[in-house]
Amino acid sequence: QVQLVESGGGLVQAGGSLRLSCTASGIIFSINAMRWYRQAPGKQRELVATITSDSSTIYTNSVKGRFTISRDNAKNTLYLQMNSLKPEDTAVYYCNAGNYGIYYWGKGTLVNVSS
């Protein structure tokens, strides 16, 4: 059974930092591209960052220079280091795994950045 479980969300003041984790099971983690999405209240889910199976990274413009996506294949874990957080970063953050058109989702972890 495939499971993606996010953790690390919480309430943070603007300017603070937070690190999200996503642990995966039931997939061959190392061959999957991994992504972080987020969905703010009343908005569509958006792609935040991608890390490919060879560890290439891509970020949406709004988080460039502030967020870092990484992976530890030995631990089947995906990370998102978030620095200089802004209130507009408030959202539920979701972990996604994908390989050749097959995608899996976690249930999300809430990040609430206060002003």
Side-chain angles (χ1 to χ4, degrees), residues 33-34 49-59 69-71:
M34 302 296 296
T50 299
I51 184 165
T52 67
S53 59
D54 65 356
S55 295
S56 296
T57 58
I58 306 170
Y59 301 90
I69 188 171
S70 62
R71 64 193 298 160

Side-chain angles (χ1 to χ4, degrees), residues 5 9-10 19 25 27 30 46-47 56 60 80-81 86 89 96 101 104 112 115:
V5 181
R19 188 175 78 158
S25 60
I27 63 170
S30 62
E46 67 170 339
L47 176 62
S56 296
T60 191
L80 185 67
Q81 178 66 47
K86 303 175 180 179
D89 295 319
N96 170 274
Y104 302 96
N112 193 341
S115 60

Side-chain angles (χ1 to χ4, degrees), residues 1-79:
Q1 296 179 358
V2 176
Q3 288 191 339
L4 302 177
V5 181
E6 301 95 338
S7 62
L11 177 63
V12 186
Q13 290 187 314
S17 297
L18 205 61
R19 188 175 78 158
L20 306 183
S21 298
C22 170
T23 58
S25 60
I27 63 170
I28 304 174
F29 184 83
S30 62
I31 67 171
N32 278 261
M34 302 296 296
R35 295 175 173 88
W36 286 102
Y37 286 78
R38 67 186 181 188
Q39 188 167 22
K43 294 187 176 181
Q44 296 293 313
R45 188 172 299 186
E46 67 170 339
L47 176 62
V48 176
T50 299
I51 184 165
T52 67
S53 59
D54 65 356
S55 295
S56 296
T57 58
I58 306 170
Y59 301 90
T60 191
N61 286 336
S62 63
V63 308
K64 286 182 178 178
R66 300 189 298 120
F67 290 10
T68 302
I69 188 171
S70 62
R71 64 193 298 160
D72 186 339
N73 288 343
K75 296 182 178 180
N76 284 5
T77 301
L78 174 73
Y79 302 98

